[in-house]
Amino acid sequence: MTTTAPAPVPMPWRLARVEDGWLETRTARTVVLDVPGWPGHDAGQHVDLRLTAADGYTATRTYSVASAPEAGRLVLTVQLVGGGEVSPWVVEEARAGDELEVRGPIGGWFRWSAEMLQPVLLVSGGSGIVPLMAMLRERSRTGTTTPFHLVHSARTPDHVFYTNELHALAVSSPGLRVDRLYTRGGLPDDARTPGRLRPEDLPAVDAFDAPPLVYCCGPSGFVETATRILLDKGHDSGAVRTERFGPSS
Amino acid sequence: MNVVTRGFAGRRGPSNPRIPPGQYLETDFPVLSAGPTPGVRTEEWRLDVVDTDGTRRSLSWADLGALPHEDLTTDIHCVTKWSKLDTTWRGVPLEAVLDGDGAVATHVLVHSYGGYTTNLPLEDVTGGRAWVATHYGGKPLTPEHGGPARLLVPHLYFWKSAKWVRGLELLTEDHLGFWEQLGYHALGDPWREQRYVGD
Ligand SMILES: Cc1cc2nc3c(=O)[nH]c(=O)nc-3n(C[C@H](O)[C@H](O)[C@H](O)COP(=O)(O)OP(=O)(O)OC[C@H]3O[C@@H](n4cnc5c(N)ncnc54)[C@H](O)[C@@H]3O)c2cc1C
């Protein structure tokens, strides 16, 4: 008799309770969620988040996990989108004890784990840093020394998420390089004039000892520009993984 | 589960029977893709049709252009939650592309430039339910949105509408594609909310 694989079961919606939260910038909030039964995830994956109004109306959106894999707990960072349905609740309304639901982890491609040994180039625009931060945190948690290079683009220094932690990681982690670039206005002693991503902002494939795996995340326009530059600089399109947030414009 | 999220009211318009469960109405056209946008020139573009017995036909851009085209207006639904109504497309019905191929096939594995694949039952891409689309909103399809040509299967979640289509592999059984091996549902019917494996 042949055995057939059991039918896959749907991923359940799990109750999540806001445990803590703080502003990353004036318009983005990090929330720590206590999620009983959460199995953990891989760095780079995302979750579906569902909010329910008193009359049963629901709204669901997708958010990357910012924290390193951990059972029972998730950290998200949400950028306010004006006129949006879900992000204003997270950024302006959420407080400790509030209840919502999450489902996941989702996404099998845009993820990194410490067994992956090739060098890593991370490229992010704005809130696109969220899943890449999970990778940096996982690298730090596991103590691997795989070379990592983050190039992060934000409007101004005030728009950078995780500022203190990025600084601390950059000065304390061998093999990690962090470059920030600003599109609207930088710091007084910046060598780079502010502006959108330019070819010289991204390393060529031969700047690494071995061709890196590249993770690129941000608004769609940013990802288009960044991936075009990466291919021009010799990176193989099969080595470049992308995640796009938000609309195409 | 009986969860109420304190302080959440929702932004609701009149409920719209054209929006599947768990989706919201979007006016923009977001992009979902796993890697860089391939730049495929129409001079080098090919669409290979491989039948269940291994016979292969290869259509050039001109061959595709010579097939009968249809204009259609349809709603599309992305697994990342947005739905967009009344989008306008121009394309070749898949039956015209297959031209009798796949007589004993039950499924098709669609191949894209960039290496991605997605699987579909043949009955979901025949009978006027799927097209090889070359125009969106009256203009040639941009690379970001799958140009020069993408599959269009509007009754399923939009990842099934493979961008940068380059091959149709006819099969007598279902073979999971790229997204489906990574946890997305094998069929992806938005009205049954078949987002992920097991839904
Ligand atoms: C895989 C994935 C991971 C994501 N991870 C994160 C994350 O970690 N952090 C995060 O903040 N967001 C993330 N997003 C985006 C998130 O899912 C929502 O799209 C976003 O929070 C807006 O939802 P909303 O309900 O507030 O606005 P909506 O009600 O959905 O949108 C209102 C209007 O704003 C426009 N809009 C939507 N998003 C943007 C945007 N980014 N910029 C400008 N206009 C916009 C829409 O076109 C719409 O017209 C992710 C999206 C995906 C697909």
Side-chain angles (χ1 to χ4, degrees):
Chain A
M1 217 181 90
T2 55
T3 52
T4 47
V9 288
M11 284 182 286
W13 283 102
R14 296 176 199 275
L15 174 69
R17 203 169 274 114
V18 178
E19 190 184 287
D20 199 359
W22 54 87
L23 286 174
E24 289 292 343
T25 70
R26 274 167 291 179
T27 56
R29 179 178 295 274
T30 289
V31 286
V32 180
L33 302 176
D34 179 34
V35 189
W38 178 255
H41 58 280
D42 277 346
Q45 289 189 293
H46 50 266
V47 296
D48 280 355
L49 183 145
R50 181 162 81 181
L51 307 182
T52 304
D55 64 354
Y57 171 87
T58 61
T60 309
R61 295 292 185 278
T62 301
Y63 293 97
S64 301
V65 182
S67 44
E70 189 181 344
R73 188 170 171 276
L74 283 175
V75 179
L76 310 179
T77 303
V78 176
Q79 170 67 47
L80 178 71
V81 171
E85 181 162 37
V86 170
S87 64
W89 183 85
V90 178
V91 177
E92 294 170 341
E93 191 63 43
R95 57 180 193 237
D98 286 349
E99 291 185 342
L100 51 127
E101 289 162 292
V102 296
R103 191 170 179 238
I106 301 157
W109 183 241
F110 198 84
R111 62 178 177 182
W112 181 82
S113 59
E115 305 91 75
M116 299 163 78
L117 297 175
Q118 60 267 62
V120 173
L121 171 61
L122 306 175
V123 182
S124 54
S127 55
I129 196 173
V130 175
L132 308 188
M133 195 62 194
M135 297 178 189
L136 290 172
R137 286 168 168 164
E138 177 62 356
R139 179 184 186 276
S140 168
R141 189 185 73 86
T142 55
T144 60
T145 52
T146 304
F148 263 56
H149 183 174
L150 168 69
V151 179
H152 177 58
S153 166
R155 265 190 228 180
T156 72
D158 285 344
H159 290 84
V160 178
F161 298 178
Y162 320 124
T163 302
N164 293 342
E165 190 178 347
L166 277 177
H167 178 73
L169 282 173
V171 297
S172 67
S173 318
L176 170 64
R177 170 170 170 187
V178 175
D179 290 338
R180 297 168 191 77
L181 58 97
Y182 305 110
T183 59
R184 299 273 177 84
L187 297 167
D189 54 355
D190 279 350
R192 183 185 181 278
T193 39
R196 290 188 174 227
L197 194 70
R198 298 190 273 261
E200 59 271 26
D201 296 324
L202 294 178
V205 68
D206 54 20
F208 297 80
D209 289 339
L213 201 49
V214 187
Y215 297 89
C216 178
C217 183
S220 199
F222 174 86
V223 171
E224 277 302 307
T225 305
T227 51
R228 214 169 297 131
I229 294 172
L230 288 163
L231 299 188
D232 286 347
K233 294 194 132 186
H235 295 272
D236 184 71
S237 79
V240 180
R241 303 181 181 199
T242 62
E243 189 96 282
R244 296 153 190 262
F245 292 0
S248 53
S249 52
Chain B
M1 210 184 295
N2 232 339
V3 178
V4 172
T5 309
R6 183 203 56 77
F8 175 68
R11 171 199 62 206
R12 28 190 133 182
S15 86
N16 189 331
R18 285 162 67 186
I19 307 281
Q23 297 289 108
Y24 69 92
L25 182 62
E26 175 64 82
T27 50
D28 206 301
F29 192 172
V31 172
L32 177 69
S33 41
T37 300
V40 187
R41 305 207 330 261
T42 51
E43 302 88 77
E44 50 198 39
W45 182 88
R46 307 295 296 190
L47 179 61
D48 293 341
V49 182
V50 183
D51 208 343
T52 45
D53 61 4
T55 53
R56 173 184 295 259
R57 286 186 298 123
S58 183
L59 281 76
S60 67
W61 190 251
D63 295 335
L64 184 76
L67 294 173
H69 285 62
E70 289 178 3
D71 292 297
L72 65 143
T73 300
T74 187
D75 302 343
I76 55 178
H77 312 289
C78 179
V79 71
T80 65
K81 318 287 171 334
W82 56 267
S83 289
K84 191 169 169 63
L85 305 183
D86 297 320
T87 57
T88 56
W89 302 83
R90 181 168 174 75
V92 180
L94 209 73
E95 261 141 346
V97 174
L98 293 178
D99 190 26
D101 278 352
V104 300
T106 57
H107 292 82
V108 59
L109 188 64
V110 182
H111 295 258
S112 294
Y113 285 95
Y116 306 107
T117 53
T118 191
N119 54 301
L120 295 126
L122 202 60
E123 64 185 18
D124 281 275
V125 294
T126 50
R129 306 176 90 191
W131 294 262
V132 172
T134 55
H135 289 71
Y136 167 74
K139 297 197 186 86
L141 202 52
T142 59
E144 217 186 348
H145 287 302
R150 78 181 296 163
L151 199 68
L152 176 65
V153 195
H155 71 285
L156 299 177
Y157 281 125
F158 211 46
W159 90 79
K160 293 286 182 181
S161 293
K163 288 189 274 200
W164 317 302
V165 62
R166 58 151 301 160
L168 304 171
E169 183 183 354
L170 294 153
L171 299 166
T172 53
E173 58 185 23
D174 203 6
H175 287 203
L176 295 183
F178 172 83
W179 295 104
E180 295 79 8
Q181 287 176 35
L182 293 174
Y184 287 88
H185 196 274
L187 179 62
D189 179 351
W191 296 98
R192 289 188 277 165
E193 223 180 337
Q194 293 171 334
R195 295 178 193 278
Y196 315 120
V197 173
D199 281 354

